[in-house]
Amino acid sequence: MADSKTRKRPAAAALEDSASLTTWWMQQWLETSTPLARMQLVWLQALGEAMQHEAEFLKVVASSGEKVSRCLCNQETPTPAELSSCYQEAALNVADAAMQRFHKVSELSHDLRERIWDEI
């Protein structure tokens, strides 16, 4: 009789085995998901930087458009030379901003790869 009391019933043993299996699975899952979450954070940071660069570019485009509209509205009859100067200045600002944008975008892929490599 004492032997039957010390032995566990099969259902209780299966439940304990199931709990230990679940605990083991959760531990394994958390260990593998942490690096993936860090890599996703790196990707989201790079995406945030790309959006910031785009916002800076759009700001330059908007300010250039504002300068051109001020040139048209401030004078009653602007001369063609004044308009040309205004347009050229605006176009130069937008072209410079576009070149900076392309340069920053080309650096983003390198930075992203470097950050991911650091996480690995």
Side-chain angles (χ1 to χ4, degrees), residues 37-85:
R38 287 195 318 252
M39 286 178 56
Q40 185 176 15
L41 178 63
V42 166
W43 181 78
L44 288 172
Q45 287 171 341
L47 181 64
E49 289 176 14
M51 291 175 66
Q52 182 180 4
H53 298 318
E54 288 297 311
E56 290 170 2
F57 175 71
L58 291 175
K59 181 180 174 183
V60 170
V61 170
S63 66
S64 295
E66 181 185 4
K67 286 178 186 177
V68 169
S69 66
R70 267 190 273 133
C71 286
L72 289 171
C73 294
N74 284 342
Q75 301 171 354
E76 288 182 15
T77 55
T79 64
E82 291 171 342
L83 285 177
S84 175
S85 172

Side-chain angles (χ1 to χ4, degrees), residues 3-14:
D3 191 28
S4 66
K5 287 183 181 179
T6 57
R7 283 190 293 159
K8 295 181 182 176
R9 289 184 278 163

